[in-house]
Amino acid sequence: MTDVPTDSYVLIVDDDEEDVFAFKLAMKYSLAGISLVHIDDGAKAVDFLLKKAGNSALPELVLVDINMPGVNGYDTLAAIRSSKITRHLPVLMFSTSDSPKEVQRSYLEGANAHLVKPNSIEELRALTTSIAQFWLKFARLPTQFL
């Protein structure tokens, strides 16, 4: 288990229900006490973030699947980075691919990391534990950029 603030939440933007289900299972183990907010569409996620910023706390971390219909992960990332309200948020891009072009594009577009979706629940637990340790426990981030 990880010692992280219990009022934290993570936003996951992914259209694949099976991947989200697996992530929730892994989170129960490694991110105890942290809520997961799931949105299955990039445009809805950006709207959520912009509305959330005006009313309450933003997520501690945003996980974005690259391959989504409509507004894909890169478009979602661009929208997050283009807003003064959300551009400071750590955004981790997820994909089933480790293509060098895809990895490079994630970083060029402003992602904090490009992660390959694990093939097993054990690997996913290890990944979510590492994410929680680094991003939610040890990393210190600004509340907003000026």
Side-chain angles (χ1 to χ4, degrees):
M1 298 278 178
T2 303
D3 181 24
V4 294
T6 57
D7 59 344
S8 300
Y9 76 97
V10 173
L11 174 63
I12 184 167
V13 185
D14 194 334
D15 65 314
D16 188 318
E17 292 296 326
E18 289 180 18
D19 285 350
V20 172
F21 178 76
F23 195 87
K24 285 180 180 181
L25 283 177
M27 279 189 65
K28 285 182 183 181
Y29 172 78
S30 59
L31 302 178
I34 297 176
S35 300
L36 174 68
V37 174
H38 170 234
I39 300 177
D40 64 0
D41 175 272
K44 289 178 190 174
V46 172
D47 288 342
F48 170 84
L49 289 170
L50 294 176
K51 288 177 185 170
K52 198 73 166 161
N55 300 323
S56 58
L58 288 165
E60 301 294 320
L61 184 63
V62 182
L63 306 174
V64 180
D65 180 38
I66 292 173
N67 298 309
M68 295 185 291
V71 177
N72 67 33
Y74 295 121
D75 295 336
T76 303
L77 175 61
I80 291 169
R81 291 293 181 243
S82 70
S83 169
K84 283 179 134 178
I85 297 169
T86 58
R87 68 180 172 203
H88 70 285
L89 293 173
V91 179
L92 311 183
M93 303 301 282
F94 270 90
S95 178
T96 55
S97 170
D98 64 354
S99 153
K101 286 184 179 182
E102 196 170 270
V103 172
Q104 184 175 20
R105 183 171 178 195
S106 291
Y107 287 101
L108 287 173
E109 299 278 338
N112 295 91
H114 178 99
L115 305 170
V116 177
K117 291 180 181 180
N119 292 323
S120 71
I121 193 68
E122 293 80 19
E123 289 177 343
L124 186 57
R125 281 184 183 168
L127 178 61
T128 58
T129 298
S130 296
I131 289 169
Q133 286 290 323
F134 182 79
W135 290 104
L136 303 177
K137 184 176 180 181
F138 294 115
R140 295 298 176 257
L141 301 166
T143 54
Q144 195 167 10
F145 286 145
L146 302 175

